[in-house]
Amino acid sequence: MADEQVKRKRTFKKYTYRGIDLDKLLDMTSAELTQLVHCRARRRFTRGLKRKPMALIKKLRKAKRVCPDGEKPEAVRTHLRNKIVTPEIEGSDEGKNKGKTYNQEELKAEMI
């Protein structure tokens, strides 16, 4: 009877944002992504990202570009806590300032 039981493979939940897979989100332009997000984020994108959020995005892009394939990028330290997580910065590490120290946090797909 034990031989008859087949071991099931563990299936992982595939992440979707409003019915769209993460792979398709990465291929979208910023204008298409703006139409998907909630009102507050849409308003912020249409008014334009200011200097500090753009500088953080550039640092995260650079950290991803420099790291070898298959490895996690180096953490980027920041004081920004009110940023909007976009699909392109998903998978990056950041250190959020907590006053005296930095808390390391990975930006996950669920945060989009």
Side-chain angles (χ1 to χ4, degrees), residues 20-34:
I20 299 175
D21 292 334
L22 186 61
D23 298 332
K24 291 181 183 175
L25 285 174
L26 289 169
D27 294 336
M28 285 186 168
T29 63
S30 59
E32 293 171 339
L33 183 67
T34 302

